[in-house]
Amino acid sequence: MTDQLAPAPLTSRRPRPGEPWWKQSVIYQIYPRSFSDSNGDGIGDLQGIRDRLDYLQTLGVDVLWLCPVYPSPNRDGGYDISDYRGVAPEFGTLDDWKALVADLHARDMRLIMDLVVNHTSDEHPWFQQARASKDSPYRDYYLWRPAREGREPSNWGSHFGGPAWTLDEPSGEYYLHLFSTHQPDLNWDNPRVRAEIHDMMRWWLDLGIDGFRMDTINMLSKPPAFPDAAARAGERFPVASEHFIHGPRLFEYLAEMKAQVLDHYDVMTVGETPDVTPEHGLAFTNAETGPLSMIFAFELMHLDAGHAQTQRKWTKVPWSLAELRQITTRWQAGLHGVGWNSNFLSNHDVPRLVSRFGDDGEFRLASATLLATYLFALQGTPYIYQGDELGLTNVAFSDIGEYRDIDTLNYYREQVNDLGRPPAEVLAEIHAKGRDNARTPMPWTAEPNGGFTSGTPWIALNPTYGQINAQQALADPDSIYWYYRDLIRLRHTYPVFVDGRYDLLLPDHQTVFAFTRTTDDEQLLVLLNFGREVCELDWPGPPPLPTIQLLLANLPGAQPPQSTLTLRPYEARLYHTRTRAGDGLE
């Protein structure tokens, strides 16, 4: 790492006139249940987040994204909401939430909230009234269908296993749930549902939030006929993505939401959008016509799962730099100048990025900082998931009883109890891909329970907390935390990080991912050695003129510009040059 950087400012660089603030922002995702517990009940809470704002502000992030804090039975980690206009008691009160917003805005930071409107909890009053009577005005808030030949209305499967239809015995009809049986899907064809959602969104925006992360937003529209999905041999309930991803009225719904709500506030929106292409990305994020600021595209999340759809999320295969490079280049080129990218490799639903795409052993520090460099050097808004800045790794609990995630528990039960697979074999898959990898509590110190709680944590900490924790990272000037801080400061300082055009270099190199970012005033050369061996290469960028400087490197002793370079395992370097004088940089 270089020592050229002055201390990072404690507030973000202000947007240039006419430039959306979210393009320059760095977003930090918080899973509240696992972030910081202030009252000793073992569950992270809003006051715990407030207590850690100095840590986040020192890191330099601009925006916090809170996973759901709404009242919920917590069948699916809070994504089964029973009240859209409140705060779950385990997290605090609405007044606590308002205090958090005030604290953030006083620090020149912003807050976005999860918008989960494909489905509700089955304990939401709407669904309770809907299932009470076929004549209820809330019946049509959800999707009900009669049996087909005594069975489910179609062969659609749930993302969490089993059928996507559950029989409501009193009424004799089935309701649709693309996820858990406790998460019935809303009927977006009903204008009253859309009006309720719009009113709820305005309510939160008027309370001061700065935007929404929109859960499964491209699944809202379903074809009324619910045709059967294509099934593979032996597959009884296939996930019917071809029918509900980008359904027939999706963009109509989103355009209405934008006109009715979003256009009236200075907000950012990011949509969770599985199975999208750059062409879809342009439709969603076109600065002139798109309904959203940006989307999460998941192609990179399938790198290590191959292309088989069946249980794809649980498989693990070797991934290639060639495919990572191709996917990255396709999205960078496809959205440049028209739409906008979200740059991420981790979140609450996937394994830890250093265990998945780096090396969580010998090269943990180097690979964690290389992956951070990759994310920050691309055009788009970078996302940090809590603990990435510490280099947190996957956890390998030895007993299924230690896991809490509904998807993980369903998978284990199906594979072990129903199909008879060896438990150790299934646990190995869970160790690699389970969602609880990302949900173990944040380790703040080496004290018992990592300083996360004075009580019993709702899920056990990763046993590495004695060595990997925030206190240790803050005390080490060469830690991953301080490297993230350097990256954030660079992004706030040099416009090329936000505006620069992406151009690929060395398209066929076996281990080095090299590219440039270029504006009229600046050029950034990015060199990333994804290999575990030392690599030599010829200087791939513009001539090494005196104006080119080594801006940042993740390993000490990095070389200045020269004709031949030697890159160590997982070494990352950023070289910078001004392409013309007077660019206004300090």
Side-chain angles (χ1 to χ4, degrees), residues 284-336:
F284 280 109
T285 71
N286 184 299
E288 300 297 326
T289 61
L292 305 180
S293 308
M294 62 190 97
I295 61 171
F296 289 134
F298 290 92
E299 276 195 88
L300 291 177
M301 296 297 100
H302 302 320
L303 269 181
D304 60 352
H307 299 285
Q309 292 291 326
T310 304
Q311 297 297 352
R312 178 172 66 180
K313 64 188 175 185
W314 294 105
T315 61
K316 183 175 176 62
V317 300
W319 61 274
S320 72
L321 177 62
E323 190 172 5
L324 181 143
R325 186 161 44 210
Q326 290 164 6
I327 293 170
T328 301
T329 300
R330 187 161 61 245
W331 280 91
Q332 289 286 295
L335 269 59
H336 178 70

Side-chain angles (χ1 to χ4, degrees), residues 361-503:
E362 178 184 0
F363 297 112
R364 184 181 66 89
L365 188 149
S367 64
T369 48
L370 173 134
L371 292 166
T373 310
Y374 162 78
L375 292 172
F376 276 76
L378 296 171
Q379 185 171 59
T381 297
Y383 287 73
I384 303 169
Y385 180 67
Q386 65 181 47
D388 285 351
E389 76 281 7
L390 303 179
L392 293 190
T393 62
N394 281 357
V395 66
F397 293 139
S398 60
D399 187 278
I400 190 62
E402 296 184 85
Y403 288 92
R404 300 290 180 265
D405 171 42
I406 184 174
D407 195 18
T408 296
L409 298 176
N410 284 351
Y411 181 68
Y412 183 89
R413 182 171 57 251
E414 173 191 272
Q415 297 295 306
V416 175
N417 297 353
D418 299 345
L419 300 180
R421 291 182 60 200
E425 186 178 289
V426 178
L427 277 174
E429 294 172 349
I430 291 169
H431 295 163
K433 287 297 192 72
R435 297 197 299 182
D436 281 339
N437 280 310
R439 301 180 182 187
T440 56
M442 184 80 168
W444 295 100
T445 70
E447 299 168 353
N449 292 324
F452 164 72
T453 180
S454 59
T456 301
W458 72 276
I459 187 174
L461 275 79
N462 191 318
T464 61
Y465 72 83
Q467 297 77 44
I468 304 174
N469 59 70
Q471 186 179 59
Q472 179 276 331
L474 290 168
D476 179 2
D478 292 323
S479 71
I480 298 166
Y481 175 94
W482 293 114
Y483 188 83
Y484 266 90
R485 186 183 194 239
D486 287 348
L487 284 169
I488 293 169
R489 180 184 181 271
L490 290 176
R491 197 171 189 280
H492 286 159
T493 304
Y494 292 87
V496 69
F497 280 84
V498 176
D499 303 324
R501 183 190 70 251
Y502 167 99
D503 290 292

Side-chain angles (χ1 to χ4, degrees), residues 255-295:
E256 181 185 53
M257 179 188 291
K258 186 172 187 291
Q260 292 292 321
V261 181
L262 301 174
D263 282 345
H264 302 280
Y265 299 86
D266 179 20
V267 297
M268 68 155 280
T269 52
V270 54
E272 182 190 28
T273 53
D275 298 333
V276 291
T277 65
E279 291 71 30
H280 294 127
L282 285 176
F284 280 109
T285 71
N286 184 299
E288 300 297 326
T289 61
L292 305 180
S293 308
M294 62 190 97
I295 61 171

Side-chain angles (χ1 to χ4, degrees), residues 163-185:
W165 296 96
T166 288
L167 177 64
D168 178 61
E169 293 187 0
S171 67
E173 290 188 330
Y174 287 80
Y175 64 87
L176 180 73
H177 53 89
L178 295 184
F179 295 90
S180 162
T181 58
H182 300 286
Q183 293 168 290
D185 278 39

Side-chain angles (χ1 to χ4, degrees), residues 128-142:
Q128 292 292 304
Q129 295 185 60
R131 77 188 320 175
S133 168
K134 284 186 175 182
D135 298 324
S136 168
Y138 290 93
R139 185 75 173 184
D140 197 39
Y141 274 41
Y142 297 88

